[in-house]
């Protein structure tokens, strides 16, 4: 079955601390992987994507993610969190030539000053 | 450039009624997809339309239907509304060719 698991429902960090959000996927075909961020009442904004090539991908707002095929993971990282990073983060998996994405249930990030 | 625009932003309907949600994609994007996001969950794929043809359908009942117009805008229709249809409905567009999805801010539907 195709699925995305985000094991952490809620994470709290202090401003300036490092961050890692976990994502594991199960997908039959070659996966295309995405991280999106959603602020309250807003749509989803793409942070970064992985299609192929270098397994460490850089995104916007200082985020990066590493694809590990052996672990079926695509964890999101940021070295120093800012208060404005507080939001809901979604990992998603898709395939070539389709806009059908399978999303995880999300991780809510709270940032303390 | 304008992003993906959706209307209305909020909607309250009664059980059994019908609703139509509208979406305008980013200029140049020919693919439109619809997602349902129930509170506390990730978005779930409903439909994808490309060049006015259905390209994919998620696991939703036949009460859900959609179409795409020659200008690539799209409508999502839901008949015989149930309380469980209350959700944020997101529209996304892309230029296909493995380009990423761009999402609108959604329509918040409340069914009472």
């Amino acid at each position: 079955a195709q699925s995305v698991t985000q094991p952490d429902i809620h994470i709290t960090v202090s401003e300036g601390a490092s961050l890692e959000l976990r994502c594991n996927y199960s997908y039959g075909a070659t996966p295309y992987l995405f991280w999106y961020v959603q602020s309250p009442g807003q749509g989803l904004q793409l942070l970064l994507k992985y299609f192929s090539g270098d397994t460490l991908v850089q995104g916007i707002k200082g985020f990066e993610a590493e694809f590990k095929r052996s672990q079926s993971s695509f964890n999101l990282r940021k070295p120093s969190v800012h208060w404005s990073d507080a939001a809901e983060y979604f990992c998603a998996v898709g395939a070539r030539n389709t806009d059908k994405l399978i999303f995880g249930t999300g991780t809510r990030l709270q940032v303390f000053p | 450039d304008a992003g993906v625009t959706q209307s209305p932003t909020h909607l309250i309907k009664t059980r059994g009624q019908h609703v139509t949600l509208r979406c305008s994609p980013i200029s140049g994007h020919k693919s439109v997809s619809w997602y349902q996001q129930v509170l506390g969950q990730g978005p779930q794929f409903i439909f994808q339309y490309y060049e006015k043809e259905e390209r994919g359908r998620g696991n939703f009942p036949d009460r859900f239907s959609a179409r795409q117009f020659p200008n690539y805008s799209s409508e999502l229709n839901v008949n015989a509304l149930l309380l469980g249809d209350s959700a944020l409905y997101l529209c996304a567009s892309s230029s296909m060719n493995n380009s990423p999805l761009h999402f609108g801010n959604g329509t918040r539907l409340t069914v009472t």
Side-chain angles (χ1 to χ4, degrees), chain A residues 23-82:
Chain A
C23 173
N24 292 96
Y25 67 90
S26 173
Y27 203 73
T30 300
Y32 286 14
L33 294 156
F34 307 84
W35 275 98
Y36 283 88
V37 61
Q38 186 178 37
S39 297
Q42 300 293 310
L44 299 165
Q45 181 183 22
L46 179 69
L47 287 176
L48 46 79
K49 64 185 184 292
Y50 172 77
F51 287 169
S52 63
D54 192 348
T55 56
L56 184 64
V57 293
Q58 303 297 320
I60 63 171
K61 304 184 180 184
F63 285 93
E64 67 177 26
E66 186 172 11
F67 171 58
K68 293 184 177 180
R69 185 183 299 275
S70 62
Q71 298 177 21
S72 297
S73 70
F74 189 57
N75 293 349
L76 181 71
R77 300 193 293 250
K78 187 170 185 177
S80 178
V81 171
H82 187 262

